[in-house]
Amino acid sequence: MNSYAQPTNKLTFDECWEFLAGDTLGRLALVVDGHPEIFPVNYVLDRRSIVFRSAGGTKLWGAKADRPAALEIDGYDPRTEVAWSVVVRGDTEVIEAQADKDAVDAQHLEPWQPGPKDYYIRLNPLALTGRRFQVAKPDVWNTRLSDRRRASFE
């Protein structure tokens, strides 16, 4: 099998949760004013859901709307030359109960961006998918210097 025909392996449900637990930053996709918007968010896992904090802006409005949302994380390990991606699709809700907020705070959910982030938003998964694949070896002479795959050769 040549390097261009490497199989893509689906991640199990538990593997997806392990990758989510091992990361802290994802991209949240919401429908805002009839079109998709993507926001970087730092998050924690709480009771098999994803929780992030937000100010009272677009993310909050999108989370309160009765529309689907998604969170995506991905990564690449230059040592093994394996890439992976996990996508969570579901519904969002604003957390109101102080006990739930305290449980999230105990996990040190600290916003990365300065400013007040007083709203706690939960993404409740309805679908969880992931994949892992061996990346094609780069053509070291022609591949951009910023390409992560080059790290395994340098």
Side-chain angles (χ1 to χ4, degrees):
M1 184 181 286
N2 68 35
S3 64
Y4 297 105
Q6 294 293 324
T8 297
N9 298 313
K10 290 184 178 181
L11 297 173
T12 67
F13 188 75
D14 288 335
E15 287 172 322
C16 289
W17 280 113
E18 287 174 25
F19 277 118
L20 285 164
D23 210 334
T24 60
L25 181 67
R27 285 168 297 286
L28 177 72
L30 298 170
V31 176
V32 178
D33 294 330
H35 63 276
E37 293 281 348
I38 298 175
F39 305 93
V41 294
N42 60 301
Y43 68 89
V44 297
L45 299 184
D46 181 57
R47 297 179 306 185
R48 290 286 183 160
S49 67
I50 289 92
V51 178
F52 60 93
R53 290 174 58 180
S54 179
T58 307
K59 282 183 281 190
L60 177 64
W61 180 88
K64 285 185 171 183
D66 187 20
R67 294 188 179 97
L71 180 101
E72 191 265 346
I73 64 170
D74 55 28
Y76 172 67
D77 183 347
R79 186 180 43 79
T80 62
E81 299 176 349
V82 171
W84 54 268
S85 178
V86 174
V87 176
V88 181
R89 290 178 289 147
D91 297 324
T92 55
E93 65 177 318
V94 177
I95 297 173
E96 301 290 346
Q98 189 60 49
D100 291 338
K101 292 178 185 180
D102 292 344
V104 169
D105 286 341
Q107 296 186 60
H108 307 290
L109 177 59
E110 293 292 329
W112 285 14
Q113 186 179 27
K117 306 282 190 247
D118 298 330
Y119 299 94
Y120 293 63
I121 300 170
R122 182 182 310 278
L123 173 59
N124 294 304
L126 298 174
L128 178 60
T129 59
R131 63 190 192 116
R132 172 188 301 130
F133 58 94
Q134 190 77 37
V135 299
K137 297 226 181 265
D139 180 342
V140 176
W141 300 109
N142 294 320
T143 302
R144 291 186 320 248
L145 291 176
S146 61
D147 192 313
R148 292 185 206 177
R149 296 174 299 165
R150 291 179 63 100
S152 57
F153 292 93
E154 297 174 348

